Each structure stands twice: as C-alpha cells, then as structure tokens.
C-alpha cells in the first residue's frame, strides 16, 4: 500500500500512530492541495488517503482523478466535503474516526475571554513595550446565546453557567426540557440574537444551515455584542458579517473557521481591527490528534485485512 496523510501542518502526524506497523509507504504532506489538478498529481498511485476534517474536499471529479484510491479515511465521523455516493461509485471505502468533544468547547471559551477582555491586543501591546490600553468587558451577569445545543454547544453552555451567565439556546426543534438539562433556556432565534451579549455558533453544516447567521440575525444583535464561530465558516454569511463589523453594528467577532481554508492572505477579514482570528484550531490538541491518527491507522489495518472499521455510509 501507498498511504498519503494530508494537511499535516504541524509535521506531527507521524508521532501519533504506529505507521511502520502497517508495512506500507506513508507520505506526510504539509502543503495544502487546493485544486483537483494538484491533488491528482500529488496522490497519483496512492491506495489510501487520510484527510484532515473538511480541509480537502473529495468530490466526484476528484474521485475520478484518483483511480488508484481504494480507502479514504477522514478524521471525525462526518465530513460534509466528501461525496459518499461518488466514493461508492468509484469503489472507494470511506472510514472515519472518533472525535473528542472537549477541545473545541475549550477553544471557544479561550476566544470569548480574549475578545471580551482584549487579551490578544494587550498581549501584543506588551511585546511593543506598551501598558494598558483597553477596558475589558464582563461575563458575569451577561447573556450567552448558544446556537446549536449538541454535544459541543452543551459543553459551552455549561461553562457559561459556571461564569454566572444567563444562557439562552436555539436550534431547530430544540426541546425546552433538553435545554434546561444543560442550564439553558430555549428561545426562538430572533430572541437569542437580540438578547445575547455573546452569541456562539455550534451547528452542523448542511445545505439548510448554510448562511444560518445572516444579515437579519446580525441586525438583531446589540452594538456591544460579540459573535463567535468555532463550528463551520459557511454557517455565517461572511459578507454580512464583514459589513456589520466595519460599520460597528456589532462590537466584534472571534472566528476559528472560514468559507475557504486556509484563509487567503489577502482576505478582508484579516484587515478588520475588531476581529480575533485563529487558524481552525478548535480540534488541534494532543488528545484529539491521538484519537484521530491512532484510529486512522487502525482503519487502514482493518481495511487491509478485509474487515473495515467505522465505515461512513451517509
């Protein structure tokens, strides 16, 4: 077998699994293959590809360009950028891995705290020899709005309660009793955006949820409110968000996810002073990578032995 491990930006994948035990050629790639032509050239002749989350889409066109591919392993048990039907037609088995829920919730609070207290700006000022420029906001007694109360949103809600925040939650068909179990009050979408001091997005990306946070939702937010997105970039209408930030209609936004990743160097988001931007770090922790790559190697060994594990079918 020839195995390609994609988007190994930190040059770390080799140390989280016993790749040598597979008895195969394993190539770790740090460059991002952002076109079908680049992908086809780089992966020509590879039987197995390990993909990191949704960084590299696998469409019908791309499966057709990779005739040797037989196994695609994605980190996580869902990947909206993989066309599973096309994989089936091209004879490619797609397998996933588990994904610990704590890491993204922890980063979410890191972003909320930094944005609220201007930590990133004051830390940069200290390196320039400066001292105290801002007055931070407070979380205690404020209102947190959680968009999507799944396994990640529920963790974020619990931490909000621990900070002494009032927690509101909304998602389609959210059960008020389930919200209450996690210390949140179920409200409609309009109330969540208008009443919250911090809105944090934790929603599954689909055709229906694309643009879930658009101009109408941003217009409901307080001028002092903050928006945080550690879920998926297209859940938020980027053009509407940029306009709201430029015009001061909301106070700021912290983003870990984007419509295009890696975020292009000249993207307009990078020019805004009231943003806190991180490069999709939500899941990038030692514990998460241990699960991702260890189970990826397990999936490859199981496929080689004719008994695939964690197969994705829909």
């Amino acid at each position: 077998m020839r195995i390609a491990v994609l988007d190994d930006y930190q040059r770390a994948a080799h140390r989280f699994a016993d790749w040598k035990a597979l008895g195969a050629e394993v190539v770790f790639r740090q460059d991002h293959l952002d076109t079908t032509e680049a992908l086809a050239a780089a992966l020509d002749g590879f039987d197995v590809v390990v993909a990191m989350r949704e960084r590299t889409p696998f469409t019908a066109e791309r499966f057709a360009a990779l005739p040797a591919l037989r196994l695609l392993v994605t980190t996580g048990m869902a990947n909206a950028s993989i066309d599973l039907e096309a994989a089936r037609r091209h004879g490619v088995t797609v397998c996933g891995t588990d994904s610990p829920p704590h890491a993204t919730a922890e980063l979410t609070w890191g972003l909320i705290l930094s944005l609220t207290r201007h930590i990133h700006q004051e830390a940069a000022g200290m390196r320039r020899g400066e001292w105290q420029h801002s007055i931070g906001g407070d979380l205690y007694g404020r209102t947190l709005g959680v968009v999507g109360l799944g396994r990640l949103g529920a963790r974020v809600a619990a931490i909000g309660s621990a900070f002494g925040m009032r927690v509101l939650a909304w998602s389609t068909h959210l059960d008020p009793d389930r919200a209450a179990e996690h210390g949140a009050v179920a409200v409609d979408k309009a109330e969540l955006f208008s009443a919250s001091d911090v809105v944090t997005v934790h929603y599954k990306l689909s055709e229906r949820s694309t643009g879930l946070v658009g101009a109408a939702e941003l217009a409901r937010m307080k001028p002092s409110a903050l928006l945080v997105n550690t879920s998926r970039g297209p859940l938020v209408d980027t053009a509407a968000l940029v306009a709201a930030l430029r015009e001061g209609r909301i106070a700021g936004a912290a983003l870990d996810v984007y419509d295009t990743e890696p975020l292009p160097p000249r993207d307009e988001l990078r020019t805004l002073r009231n943003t806190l931007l991180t490069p999709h770090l939500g899941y990038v922790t030692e514990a998460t990578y241990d699960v991702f790559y260890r189970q990826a190697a397990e999936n490859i060994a199981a496929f080689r032995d004719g008994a695939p594990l964690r197969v994705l079918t829909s």
Side-chain angles (χ1 to χ4, degrees):
M1 283 191 299
R2 299 184 71 205
I3 302 166
V5 180
L6 304 185
D7 295 303
D8 181 22
Y9 297 148
Q10 298 91 1
R11 301 176 185 271
H14 67 280
R15 63 184 176 89
F16 286 98
D18 185 3
W19 301 100
K20 291 182 179 179
L22 295 172
E25 175 190 355
V26 183
V27 175
F28 301 96
R29 299 196 66 99
Q30 290 78 45
D31 55 328
H32 180 64
L33 304 171
D34 57 358
T35 67
T36 299
E37 292 73 18
L39 195 75
L43 301 183
D44 182 37
F46 280 86
D47 312 274
V48 180
V49 170
V50 178
M52 176 58 75
R53 307 304 293 126
E54 287 90 5
R55 288 174 178 170
T56 305
F58 282 85
T59 61
E61 178 189 24
R62 292 185 172 191
F63 283 118
L66 298 170
L69 183 62
R70 290 294 172 263
L71 174 65
L72 174 61
V73 179
T74 175
T75 53
M77 287 301 292
N79 189 326
S81 69
I82 296 176
D83 185 334
L84 292 175
E85 176 58 27
R88 186 192 63 77
R89 291 197 306 270
H90 285 86
V92 178
T93 299
V94 181
C95 298
T97 72
D98 292 328
S99 181
H102 65 272
T104 299
E106 291 173 2
L107 181 76
T108 298
W109 278 102
L111 295 178
I112 292 172
L113 288 166
S114 188
L115 197 59
T116 301
R117 297 295 299 270
H118 312 293
I119 294 171
H120 55 298
Q121 294 165 334
E122 292 289 0
M126 286 290 286
R127 293 186 180 278
R128 295 191 297 265
E130 301 168 4
W131 188 260
Q132 279 199 22
H133 290 290
S134 61
I135 300 175
D138 298 278
L139 296 177
Y140 181 83
R142 304 300 193 212
T143 299
L144 175 71
V146 182
V147 178
L149 201 64
R151 63 176 191 151
L152 297 181
R155 284 177 174 266
V156 171
I159 298 170
S161 296
F163 272 112
M165 301 185 78
R166 175 185 179 226
V167 181
L168 307 179
W170 172 85
S171 64
T172 305
H173 310 306
L174 176 61
D175 181 358
D177 291 337
R178 170 177 164 71
E181 289 173 5
H182 295 287
V185 176
V187 297
D188 64 29
K189 191 179 182 185
E191 181 179 350
L192 183 140
F193 279 89
S194 62
S196 298
D197 298 292
V198 178
V199 174
T200 179
V201 181
H202 304 279
Y203 218 86
K204 184 176 180 179
L205 180 63
S206 68
E207 288 185 8
R208 290 196 306 169
S209 63
T210 297
L212 184 75
V213 181
E217 288 73 28
L218 294 168
R220 293 183 183 277
M221 293 177 68
K222 304 173 185 178
S224 59
L226 306 173
L227 178 72
V228 180
N229 186 10
T230 57
S231 187
R232 293 293 182 270
L235 292 169
V236 177
D237 182 331
T238 300
L241 177 60
V242 168
L245 290 166
R246 281 206 181 282
E247 296 165 15
R249 289 186 277 112
I250 64 172
L255 307 174
D256 187 48
V257 290
Y258 309 93
D259 296 341
T260 301
E261 297 184 4
L263 186 68
R266 296 181 181 274
D267 192 281
E268 190 172 11
L269 284 168
R270 295 181 185 265
T271 69
L272 302 176
R273 296 177 61 85
N274 50 352
T275 59
L276 169 55
L277 309 178
T278 51
H280 205 153
L281 296 176
Y283 59 86
V284 184
T285 69
E286 294 273 337
T288 302
Y289 271 29
D290 176 71
V291 172
F292 280 178
Y293 289 120
R294 177 169 45 80
Q295 291 191 358
E298 290 173 1
N299 289 345
I300 296 168
F303 177 81
R304 177 198 59 198
D305 295 340
L309 291 173
R310 310 180 187 96
V311 177
L312 304 186
T313 58
S314 60

